[in-house]
């Protein structure tokens, strides 16, 4: 038992730092510092740099394009990218459908999709939630009926509606949970389909969230024709892929490295914010909230490290990852609460709706610029990926045997 | 002791409540927000002429109905229930409140216009560096000239008058040397940058550059005690608004929980959701109690302690009820589509209005808990 | 709407203050100040003074011995007794069985029992809980079989076991919930019996709680013979009395006045406790906890006053009183947490168990003397009288319609 | 980075665990508590002779097994699981720790006795006025004479040596001028008032009246940094003890919730109870993580920050898990009859041991969060 990095790990860390310093697109730093929203090409700019280096998918097996790093190296990687405030990569291809495809897909599916995920050529979205099925994912009603086409090949005809589909407006491909056997019980009779978002019959409609963002969408599927070879794993066994993916999603969701970076950001803001003749960071109660956050974040970090150690010694991400999701999102939300509180009076102005996209002037400190929208937006984290109530149900059942 | 409303107060509540139910539904409100002016002048006119509520808290001598803080509480709660945009708080509670305390010719001159709906007042007190501290002022009034900047002045864009705090002497955070001014909003040397708030109202940065201020504009020369008093009154009123906001948040969430089905039953059948709704209910009830206490103590020596206690409790309730209303609604709660998200936004802004929970707890400690 | 006391109320308050000053047994102050536990005769000493004055049962109707005070006067009374730190009266007769008897009892029962409750001649205990039925009170199994005695009169033969019976070791009488119709569903088939604790077949066994106190007991009933005329209200309708009594119990349980007094006590302790060169009350975080307690206590107080106002305008104590129980007990428990924290190192010593009753010497400040036992003991408040979880169930069902 | 225990560490844990399971059941423990001595010398003898665990954290040169802080963590967690009364913390972790840091002749002389079980050390550091501050000292060592009082000294009644902090110069709360002494517990001029603690151990007020202290008793002259270090080590160890206590509290409560029936079903079927047990589980897991972190950082510059972070988190966990274990058990949880109440008592004492949650958060802020 030992927290020290080996000489190899220290060298690796230096290599990573140098790479980021030399290759991270500088203009992204400016955008982040000015509180601007990231757009598709911003995410892709960094994605392509990493792909060129071969570092785009550290968690993947080497045979599919992974880096072969140890758990410690992966930890160092996420630490260093957060420390350097690098833009977060979109998870839908790299962390979600990619692992499903290399775990459950056919050789043809692997050959077709994995390289394009790695290269960033395909932008993916996730068709899971439906208006009637939020936390109760298995109650989904989107239907896929199998039929033989005029060309003699097998197809599905998909009808239904998905919602909360993040970034679907940019997506080339989507992975969808659909019901292939309507007679089967809830979790049975579901299949996992890969659907080309340009297929006729797909309509994407924006949902505008409280902060004014267009992140999520409704996706309507009307007689959408999908070749059977785009189904991953067995027909009616899509729930296996879904569960696998949900557990994967929960691990990444802890977001320790990003939260560490955000704690530093809040401290800097509190240092520069006046509070009755002193800095806000000197206010004992504001300082205490930061200290408590740091304590809770350390607890999350070392719990994640223990989980990773368990995984690298053979156990896959288990239901314990629900803990990481719950505590990780609580911390992310508390950070936005602190940012809003630090902004004080200047938390109220809202620039987005002065006129679409009119960011041409702002008032108050830059740090206050988007604190309220971000606070509102981040309420989603305790809802998505299985709400925090659902995560507690999972722990109760799977870990505690209740 | 008596916790009952008079018949007149009940009638006042019912009248505004009916009016808002009939004309101020969510879609109509959102249309006004999207238009981007931050208020609807026609509603203000109706408040003044059709309902006559703008005079509720003024004396009959000024043309009002003879009410006071309890009437403001009643009206503000109803406005919270409809997340009303119009500037009752700044014009009647704060501006009107200041004039009532000052009295004399200026009160006689200005109050009738407030009641008639033609005079609207914005409260230009907080400054960019000053956070929630009313004494932390760099705006100066020297040699009859006003210079400085005020931060996030609600409804300045449609105000006829500005109620301004300015330093006439002393250092930046001294208690002495602070004057309270009432000046025309269009006086030469005043410029504004207007923007919308998260709530959908309009607010402004207000800049003073050599604005000429005569003696007739000075409501009070050594004014910090008066400023504290009118902000305590405003704090009680915003607590009442919060009660309206939170009651709706709770009611809508309770409704939703009874209807929304997951895993084959209403989510309101899950015990964890039930207890959450109970905890929200208890927060709302206690917010109501504290608002009454603060309102009823406004004319007692306990005024400031009570206002800060109430705001601390209401601020916590606003966060707890708002966040959980969204959480129980799930994804739909954070879209622009449902009213619940907009009530949540208002509740969130109220948390920091006139000072955060921590600010008011510290203020309470300073008054009541010296070591 | 008005918080002011009328001239009559102010005069009444002066009368109350003078009475307490002149008639409260001085030796009880010393006992409380020295942290000693109260014994039966201590409670009775104050009880008898109040009975002589006619002030023993302010909440009772005048015809049964009440004072006829207004709600405001009753509020003043509880404020002033708490302010003067008067010992709390035992609730089992005055607040629990008394109201049941004058509400549901026969004229004979009223005549027999009420005067002896008022005078303090009878000490009562409550036989509700059973080992198998904690929060689920209606699942009780103590049986009462009806039979005709050799004297031709009707009797019940009672068999079963009660637990958590507070102060049963001193009790002359107990009120018991027993099952008279074992075939009936849960809440039906229960009757409310008054039982003379000297009846043969009753065994009282102490339960020692964590702080070392002997407050509660097991009560075993073996062929205990009870005359039918000691049943209150109809046979099999005892649940009506039980519900009435539980709602009554919840109101009193808020304990606002006593908590106010205890906040003052903690402040005094914090003023006199050193913390790194200053008083503990100057520690911003300890002070903040006191401030938050005071805020929450004010919220509870004004909520109780609103409830009382509602009651005096005709509504009885409703399910809203569950709020008073939950918040009141939370505050009581937080007060004991603060006392323990204030004691610091001196929270650890435990004098009671040095040798039974050996209080002959103590270490550390007097204020720290029994903080840990009291802290442990007060955990009961969120469990008894319907646990706080049950109170939330009640509000969910009765107030929110869930 | 590596979070695995060595084979030796796992064997050590298993050995103590088996011994305690066989000989230290709850009834046996309570019998020792009722006897009122606060420990069982036979158990101590077994620790030394039968199990040999008292040497686990000492170097082989001193006759130990060559382990250190991780071995202490492993053993302390097991002792927490059985709420062991015997003075491993004060004798081995604190006393032994001080001697290891000081080294030299005194270490060579005293450590073998610790390992053999014949030398037992009590830590006489805190004072009645000093709360949790190790530098707040009125006990003085002047002209070779020790005078003063120490508060709540655990296990002093059965110690052979006292590890004493005393002021040799400076004002009451100065960092400088503090010496660390190791003196015989029966030195002339030492008197005690012994009592039991809530946990069932023995503690004492220790009074020094002109106790002669020679140079050979002074472990270090300017000792506050060393004292802070050994208390950080003790803090990490008591966090490990807490992990054992909390794991048992959670396991027993989970068991009880599965068995206890109310309203026709197990109370563990109620979602509110389920989520409470989940929250307890998460607190325990995080307490374990923080304990490992603090233990592994004891020899790094982050030592004090990590120890205070861990103690703050563990202190909160102790309160949350302890209170809810009792709450879920209901009335039976606060009787002397069930083990759960006694684990709760230990968890409660640990909250304040070596400083409360607030104390450690403030200490952390002082180290890591200067404005």
């Amino acid at each position: 038992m030992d927290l020290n990095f080996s000489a190899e790990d220290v060298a690796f860390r230096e290599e990573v730092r140098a790479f980021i310093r030399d290759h991270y697109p500088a203009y992204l730093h400016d955008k982040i510092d000015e509180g601007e929203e990231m757009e598709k090409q911003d995410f892709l700019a960094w994605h392509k740099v990493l792909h060129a280096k071969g570092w785009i998918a550290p968690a993947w097996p080497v045979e599919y394009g992974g880096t072969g790093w140890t758990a410690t190296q992966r930890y160092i990687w996420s630490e260093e990218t957060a420390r350097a405030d690098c833009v977060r990569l979109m998870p839908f291809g790299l962390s979600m459908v990619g692992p499903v495809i290399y775990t459950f897909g056919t050789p043809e599916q692997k050959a077709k999709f994995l390289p394009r995920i790695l290269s960033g050529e395909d932008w993916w979205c996730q068709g899971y939630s439906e208006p009637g099925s939020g936390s109760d994912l298995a109650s989904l009603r989107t239907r896929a009926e199998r039929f033989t086409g005029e060309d003699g090949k097998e197809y599905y005809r998909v009808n239904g509606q998905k919602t909360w589909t993040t970034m679907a407006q940019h997506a080339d491909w989507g992975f969808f949970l659909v019901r292939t056997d309507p007679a089967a019980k809830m979790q049975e009779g579901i299949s996992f389909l890969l659907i080309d978002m340009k297929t006729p019959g797909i309509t994407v409609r924006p949902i505008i969230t409280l902060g004014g963002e267009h992140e999520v969408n409704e996706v309507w599927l009307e007689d959408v024709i999908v070749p059977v070879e785009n189904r991953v794993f067995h027909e009616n066994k899509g729930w296996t892929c879904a569960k696998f993916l949900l557990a994967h999603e929960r691990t990444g969701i802890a977001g320790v490295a990003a939260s560490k970076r955000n704690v530093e950001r809040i401290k800097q803001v509190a240092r520069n914010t006046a509070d009755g003749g002193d800095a806000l960071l000197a206010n004992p109660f504001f300082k205490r909230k930061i200290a408590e956050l740091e304590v809770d974040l350390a607890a999350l970090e070392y719990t994640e490290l223990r989980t990773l150690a368990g995984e690298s010694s053979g156990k896959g991400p288990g239901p314990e990852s629900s803990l990481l999701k719950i505590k990780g999102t609580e911390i992310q939300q508390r950070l936005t609460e602190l940012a809003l509180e630090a902004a004080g009076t200047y938390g109220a102005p809202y620039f987005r709706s002065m006129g679409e996209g009119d960011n041409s002037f702002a008032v108050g400190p830059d740090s206050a610029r988007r604190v309220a929208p971000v606070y509102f937006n981040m309420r989603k984290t305790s809802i998505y990926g299985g709400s925090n109530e659902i995560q507690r149900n999972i722990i109760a059942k799977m870990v505690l045997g209740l | 002791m008596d916790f009952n409303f008079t018949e007149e107060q009940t009638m006042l509540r019912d009248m505004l409540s009916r009016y808002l139910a009939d004309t101020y539904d969510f879609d109509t409100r959102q249309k006004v927000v999207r238009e981007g002016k931050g208020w609807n002048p026609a509603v203000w006119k109706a408040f003044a002429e059709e309902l006559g509520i703008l005079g509720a808290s003024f004396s009959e001598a000024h043309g009002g109905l003879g009410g006071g803080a309890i009437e403001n509480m009643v009206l503000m709660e109803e406005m919270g229930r409809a997340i009303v945009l119009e500037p009752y708080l700044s014009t009647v509670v704060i501006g009107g409140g200041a004039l009532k305390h000052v009295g004399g010719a200026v009160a006689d001159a200005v109050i009738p216009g407030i009641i008639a709906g033609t005079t609207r007042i914005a409260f230009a007190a907080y400054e960019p560096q000053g956070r929630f501290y009313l004494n932390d002022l760099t705006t100066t009034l020297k040699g009859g000239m006003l210079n400085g900047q005020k931060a996030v002045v609600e409804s300045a864009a449609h105000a006829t008058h500005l109620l301004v705090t300015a330093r006439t002497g002393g250092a930046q955070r001294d208690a002495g040397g602070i004057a309270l001014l009432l000046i025309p909003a269009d006086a030469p040397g005043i410029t504004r940058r207007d923007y919308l708030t998260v709530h959908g109202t309009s607010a402004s940065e207000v800049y003073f550059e050599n604005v000429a201020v005569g003696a007739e504009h000075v409501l009070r020369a050594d004014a910090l005690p008066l400023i504290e008093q009118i902000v305590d009154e405003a704090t009680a009123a915003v607590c009442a608004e919060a009660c309206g906001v939170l009651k709706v948040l709770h009611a809508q969430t309770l409704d939703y929980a009874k209807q929304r089905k997951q895993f084959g039953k209403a989510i309101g059948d899950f015990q964890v959701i039930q207890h959450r709704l109970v905890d929200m209910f208890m927060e709302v009830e206690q917010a109501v109690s504290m608002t009454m206490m603060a309102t009823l103590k406004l004319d007692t020596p306990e005024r400031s302690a009570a206002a800060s206690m109430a705001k601390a409790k209401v601020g916590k309730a606003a966060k707890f009820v708002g966040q959980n209303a969204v959480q129980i609604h799930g994804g739909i709660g954070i879209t622009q589509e449902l009213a619940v998200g907009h009530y949540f936004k208002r509740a969130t802004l109220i948390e920091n209005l006139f000072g955060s929970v921590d600010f008011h707890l510290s203020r309470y400690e300073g008054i009541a808990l010296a070591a």
Side-chain angles (χ1 to χ4, degrees), chain A, chain B:
Chain A
M1 191 171 278
D2 179 0
L3 292 182
N4 293 319
F5 289 139
S6 64
E8 291 78 16
D9 290 334
V10 171
F12 175 76
R13 189 174 62 192
E14 291 315 308
E15 184 188 358
V16 166
R17 283 188 185 169
F19 177 75
I20 294 172
R21 185 183 62 234
D22 298 341
H23 296 95
Y24 184 74
Y27 88 94
L28 290 176
H29 279 312
D30 300 339
K31 271 193 106 154
I32 288 180
D33 288 347
E34 285 161 23
E36 288 184 49
E37 281 179 83
M38 291 290 129
E39 290 164 76
K40 182 175 179 176
Q41 66 269 25
D42 301 324
F43 294 114
L44 284 179
W46 179 222
H47 187 118
K48 288 184 173 167
V49 170
L50 290 173
H51 178 243
K53 173 77 174 172
W55 283 4
I56 189 63
W60 289 25
V62 175
E63 57 180 308
Y64 300 119
T67 54
W69 291 342
T70 63
T72 302
Q73 287 176 311
R74 295 214 304 274
Y75 168 76
I76 289 170
W77 172 248
S78 62
E79 280 280 300
E80 292 303 320
T81 48
R83 216 173 64 96
D85 214 11
C86 298
V87 65
R88 205 177 158 223
L89 298 171
M90 282 291 105
F92 305 105
L94 292 168
S95 309
M96 299 169 86
V97 77
V100 167
I101 290 172
Y102 67 62
T103 306
F104 298 101
T106 62
E108 294 74 22
Q109 288 169 339
K110 293 179 190 173
K112 175 171 179 186
F113 293 107
L114 297 181
R116 298 160 63 98
I117 290 171
L118 294 171
S119 69
E121 194 170 345
D122 287 343
W123 182 282
W124 283 82
C125 69
Q126 176 191 44
Y128 268 38
S129 293
E130 300 186 4
S133 72
S135 289
D136 183 10
L137 188 54
S139 70
L140 62 90
R141 288 183 300 187
T142 294
R143 280 289 308 280
E145 288 164 296
R146 190 156 172 169
F147 66 99
T148 309
E150 294 175 2
D151 56 4
K153 292 185 185 162
E154 293 288 291
Y155 294 93
Y156 292 109
R157 179 182 292 110
V158 182
N159 279 284
Q161 187 193 347
K162 295 290 178 180
T163 192
W164 314 125
T165 316
T166 303
M167 298 288 174
Q169 69 268 40
H170 304 312
D172 303 298
W173 283 86
F175 52 97
F176 287 77
L177 287 181
V178 298
R179 188 162 295 286
T180 36
D181 180 357
K185 276 193 302 179
M186 298 300 276
Q187 286 156 18
E188 295 158 32
I190 289 174
S191 296
F192 190 100
L193 297 190
L194 311 179
I195 302 182
D196 183 338
M197 293 298 283
K198 291 179 293 296
T199 316
I202 295 181
T203 314
V204 175
R205 294 185 191 154
I207 299 173
I208 306 301
T209 46
L210 278 187
E213 301 85 356
H214 174 200
E215 277 185 4
V216 289
N217 302 272
E218 291 176 346
V219 177
W220 298 73
L221 302 110
E222 205 176 349
D223 289 332
V224 175
I225 308 301
V226 181
V228 162
E229 63 260 32
N230 284 3
R231 189 195 68 231
V232 180
F233 206 49
H234 309 301
E235 189 167 85
N236 298 330
K237 296 294 176 197
W239 193 250
T240 304
C241 306
K243 268 196 310 186
F244 169 85
L245 192 156
L246 281 173
H248 247 268
E249 189 184 357
R250 283 198 288 275
T251 316
I253 229 165
V256 169
S259 288
K260 274 178 158 179
R261 172 78 191 127
N262 279 326
V263 170
E264 293 308 317
R265 211 187 295 270
I266 297 274
K267 279 198 247 185
Q268 195 54 37
V269 169
R271 228 173 251 121
N272 295 332
T273 300
D275 176 68
D278 211 332
L280 184 58
L281 191 56
N283 179 309
F285 307 103
F286 199 84
K287 188 196 289 194
R288 179 57 43 102
K289 287 179 200 168
I290 292 176
E292 288 176 328
L293 250 174
E294 294 193 314
V295 169
D296 289 343
L297 188 49
L300 179 66
E301 179 179 15
Y302 282 86
T303 303
E304 186 173 41
L305 288 173
R306 283 172 57 215
T307 307
L308 291 177
E311 278 176 44
S312 65
S313 71
K315 296 191 289 177
E320 295 83 358
S321 63
S322 291
L323 184 160
L324 304 179
K325 198 271 174 172
I326 295 170
K327 293 295 161 189
T329 54
E330 284 176 358
I331 286 170
Q332 290 160 35
Q333 293 182 334
R334 280 161 62 192
L335 279 160
T336 68
E337 290 174 20
L338 277 195
L340 184 62
E341 185 178 339
T345 316
Y346 280 113
Y350 179 56
F351 292 102
R352 192 70 180 281
S353 65
M354 277 301 286
E356 283 305 322
D358 176 12
N359 277 338
S360 54
F361 79 91
V363 299
D366 284 354
S367 60
R369 185 102 160 261
R370 288 187 44 75
V371 287
V374 170
Y375 169 78
F376 299 139
N377 189 259
M378 288 300 278
R379 301 313 305 167
K380 72 188 176 192
T381 63
S382 51
I383 295 168
Y384 67 26
S387 74
N388 286 8
E389 287 82 5
I390 294 292
Q391 303 300 340
R392 285 184 168 84
N393 286 350
I394 290 172
I395 297 176
K397 187 173 169 190
M398 308 296 285
V399 183
L400 304 186
L402 285 167
Chain B
M1 280 195 303
D2 174 12
F3 284 88
N4 297 308
F5 292 103
T6 64
E7 224 171 286
E8 289 77 11
Q9 288 160 350
T10 305
M11 281 172 54
L12 193 67
R13 176 192 297 276
D14 292 347
M15 183 172 60
L16 178 57
S17 170
R18 261 197 312 275
Y19 172 80
L20 293 172
D22 290 348
T23 68
Y24 212 97
D25 59 288
F26 176 64
D27 290 338
T28 309
R29 177 193 187 275
Q30 291 314 99
K31 199 160 150 282
V32 172
V33 170
R34 279 192 300 274
E35 283 164 5
K37 295 205 195 71
W39 76 316
N40 182 352
V43 168
W44 195 251
K45 199 166 144 81
F47 282 179
E49 297 174 9
E50 192 178 325
L51 305 179
I53 59 169
L54 299 185
S57 67
F58 293 104
S59 71
E60 284 153 0
H62 284 129
L65 302 177
I70 298 172
E71 282 69 20
N72 280 337
M73 176 174 81
V74 165
L75 295 172
M76 285 296 290
E77 181 177 323
E78 291 308 312
M79 295 194 196
R81 281 180 184 272
I83 40 176
V84 162
L85 304 162
E86 286 66 29
Y88 187 87
L89 181 67
S90 64
T91 295
V92 177
V93 179
I94 297 177
L99 288 163
K100 286 197 289 184
H101 292 303
V102 170
V106 63
D108 296 343
V110 180
I111 289 175
I114 294 177
I115 295 172
T118 52
T119 296
R120 289 174 304 277
I121 301 175
F123 186 43
Y126 295 105
E127 301 195 354
Q129 83 295 340
R131 207 167 163 78
F132 308 125
Y133 300 92
L134 293 162
N135 58 315
D136 194 328
L137 298 181
T138 62
T139 297
T140 55
L141 174 63
K142 280 184 183 156
M145 290 296 178
L146 182 65
N147 283 284
Q149 179 189 350
K150 295 292 178 175
V152 196
V153 182
E154 280 267 346
S155 304
H158 36 269
T160 58
H161 293 69
L162 299 178
L163 185 67
V164 184
T165 60
R167 186 159 287 292
T168 54
Q172 182 180 326
R173 283 178 292 276
D174 282 359
I178 297 174
L180 183 64
L181 323 171
L182 187 69
I183 60 177
D186 58 359
I190 299 179
T191 53
R192 298 194 318 264
R193 298 176 87 170
D194 300 339
Y195 44 85
L196 289 189
T197 69
V198 170
H199 176 41
T201 53
S202 149
S204 309
E205 300 299 290
V206 179
Y207 305 88
F208 306 108
E209 199 181 339
N210 292 327
V211 179
V213 174
E216 72 278 16
H217 294 129
V218 179
L219 291 188
R220 185 157 297 172
D222 195 13
L224 190 58
L226 173 61
I227 296 165
E228 295 269 354
Q229 183 175 11
I230 61 178
V231 172
D232 283 337
E233 291 165 354
T235 301
V238 91
C239 286
E241 184 191 355
C243 290
V245 172
L246 300 188
K247 282 178 180 177
V248 172
L249 277 170
H250 185 254
Q252 289 186 347
T253 307
L254 182 58
D255 259 16
Y256 186 81
K258 287 176 180 175
Q259 288 163 25
R260 167 76 169 173
K261 289 204 160 46
Q262 294 272 277
F263 305 101
K265 53 182 181 175
I267 63 172
D269 290 340
F270 289 94
Q271 197 189 23
V272 159
I273 302 295
Q274 292 185 348
H275 282 207
R276 197 86 54 85
L277 283 161
V278 169
D279 286 335
M280 292 164 72
F281 163 78
M282 293 195 291
E283 287 300 306
V284 173
E285 284 299 308
Q286 291 178 95
V288 170
S289 303
M290 290 302 263
T291 299
M292 286 186 181
M293 179 201 74
T295 305
L296 294 173
K297 288 192 172 178
L298 283 174
D299 295 323
T300 74
E302 297 164 74
R303 186 197 74 224
S304 295
S308 281
M309 287 177 111
K311 187 59 177 32
K313 187 77 183 167
V314 169
K316 282 187 195 176
K319 174 174 278 177
F320 182 82
V321 175
Q323 290 185 346
N324 279 298
V326 168
Q327 182 71 19
I328 292 174
H329 274 83
I332 193 77
I334 50 171
T335 69
Q336 300 269 17
E337 291 164 29
L338 239 62
V340 62
H342 299 270
Y343 282 86
F344 169 53
K345 291 203 282 188
R346 182 60 188 153
T348 300
L349 283 200
I350 288 176
E351 278 183 55
N352 276 342
L353 200 53
F354 306 125
S356 63
V357 171
D358 274 348
F359 175 86
H360 280 287
L361 287 173
S362 291
R363 183 167 181 258
Y364 170 73
E365 289 164 5
I367 297 165
L369 264 179

